[in-house]
C-alpha cells in the first residue's frame, strides 16, 4: 500500500469516524455522564469490534450480505431498532452526577458487540475493504486498513468523549441536562435516516 493510498485511507477514516453517528453520540453522552477515564472501556470496545468487523468483511461476509437481501434487511432493521432504543434511553438522564442506579458506561464487550448492530459500522467496513484492499498482498493491505482505522478512529472518538466531558460543566440543571440528552437522542435518530432510505 503506497503512502498516497494510506493518506487517502486516513482521510476517509477520519471523515467516517468523526462525523455524528451512534458511536460518537453515545461516547459524548458517556463522556458527559461518566467522564473520560470511565469511558475508556467504551473506546477500546469500539476499536476492537470494528477491527473484528473489518476482518469479517475482508473474509467475504460483505459479499454474502450483497447476495442475500433477506439477511441484509434483517441485520439492517434489527440494528436500527436497537440504535433507536439506545437513543431513546438517553432521555432517562435527569442530571449529571445523578446516574440511574442501573446505568453504567459500556464495557469493552458491550461496545464491541454493539458494532454488530451498528449499521454505520457495517457500511463503513464494507466500503473501506472494497475501496482500499489490494489484490496483491491482500491481507497486508487489510492489516494496514485495520491499523489506520484504530489510530485515526481512536482520535476521532476521543474528540467526542472530550466534547461530552466539556459539556458536562454546563449541565448544572435538570433542564440543561434534558436538553443535552434530547439533542443527542435527536442527532442519533437523524444519523439513522440515511440508513433507512438506502
Amino acid at each position: 500500500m503506497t503512502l498516497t493510498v494510506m493518506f487517502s485511507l486516513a482521510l476517509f477514516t477520519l471523515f467516517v469516524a468523526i462525523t455524528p453517528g451512534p458511536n460518537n453520540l453515545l461516547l459524548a453522552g458517556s463522556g458527559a455522564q461518566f467522564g473520560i477515564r470511565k469511558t475508556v472501556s467504551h473506546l477500546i470496545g469500539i476499536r476492537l469490534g470494528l477491527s473484528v468487523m473489518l476482518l469479517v468483511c475482508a473474509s467475504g461476509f460483505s459479499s454474502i450480505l450483497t447476495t442475500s437481501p433477506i439477511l441484509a434487511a434483517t441485520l439492517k432493521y434489527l440494528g436500527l431498532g436497537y440504535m433507536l432504543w439506545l437513543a431513546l434511553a438517553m432521555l432517562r438522564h435527569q442530571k449529571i452526577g445523578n446516574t440511574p442506579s442501573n446505568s453504567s458506561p459500556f464495557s469493552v464487550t458491550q461496545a464491541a458487540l454493539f458494532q454488530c448492530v451498528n449499521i454505520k459500522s457495517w457500511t463503513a467496513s464494507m466500503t473501506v475493504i472494497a475501496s482500499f484492499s489490494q489484490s496483491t498482498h491482500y491481507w497486508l493491505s487489510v492489516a494496514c486498513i485495520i491499523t489506520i482505522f484504530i489510530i485515526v478512529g481512536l482520535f476521532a472518538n476521543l474528540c467526542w468523549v472530550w466534547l461530552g466531558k466539556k459539556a458536562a460543566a454546563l449541565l448544572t440543571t435538570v433542564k440543561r441536562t434534558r436538553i443535552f440528552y434530547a439533542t443527542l437522542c435527536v442527532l442519533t435518530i437523524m444519523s439513522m435516516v440515511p440508513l433507512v432510505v438506502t
Side-chain angles (χ1 to χ4, degrees):
M1 185 177 286
T2 65
L3 287 176
T4 302
V5 173
M6 291 176 70
F7 181 72
S8 298
L9 172 59
L11 285 179
F12 172 83
T13 303
L14 181 62
F15 174 77
V16 168
I18 209 163
T19 51
N23 279 330
N24 286 334
L25 296 169
L26 287 172
L27 285 170
S30 182
Q33 188 69 26
F34 304 108
I36 295 174
R37 184 177 298 179
K38 289 186 177 180
T39 305
V40 167
S41 60
H42 195 158
L43 287 165
I44 293 171
I46 290 172
R47 294 298 111 203
L48 179 63
L50 279 170
S51 296
V52 172
M53 184 176 286
L54 286 165
L55 281 173
V56 169
C57 289
S59 299
F61 185 69
S62 54
S63 62
I64 295 174
L65 286 178
T66 55
T67 57
S68 178
I70 294 175
L71 178 61
T74 301
L75 178 64
K76 175 180 177 177
Y77 289 109
L78 282 175
L80 289 171
Y82 183 64
M83 288 191 292
L84 178 62
W85 179 82
L86 281 175
L88 295 175
M90 292 183 193
L91 299 177
R92 293 180 303 150
H93 295 285
Q94 299 295 316
K95 189 174 181 182
I96 296 299
N98 290 345
T99 309
S101 58
N102 63 342
S103 181
S104 61
F106 271 34
S107 66
V108 172
T109 303
Q110 287 172 325
L113 289 175
F114 174 65
Q115 304 318 304
C116 295
V117 293
N118 186 344
I119 308 304
K120 183 181 177 183
S121 294
W122 278 111
T123 304
S125 297
M126 290 189 290
T127 301
V128 75
I129 291 297
S131 302
F132 292 98
S133 61
Q134 300 176 340
S135 55
T136 55
H137 308 295
Y138 178 73
W139 287 107
L140 182 59
S141 69
V142 170
C144 287
I145 290 170
I146 292 173
T147 302
I148 291 172
F149 247 66
I150 290 172
I151 296 169
V152 177
L154 186 60
F155 165 76
N157 292 156
L158 272 170
C159 290
W160 282 88
V161 179
W162 178 84
L163 182 67
K165 177 64 176 174
K166 290 299 178 183
L170 304 174
L171 306 180
T172 54
T173 66
V174 171
K175 182 178 179 181
R176 288 181 181 179
T177 304
R178 284 178 175 169
I179 291 172
F180 176 73
Y181 281 105
T183 302
L184 290 181
C185 175
V186 170
L187 288 173
T188 301
I189 292 171
M190 287 176 62
S191 74
M192 293 161 54
V193 172
L195 303 173
V196 173
V197 297
T198 55

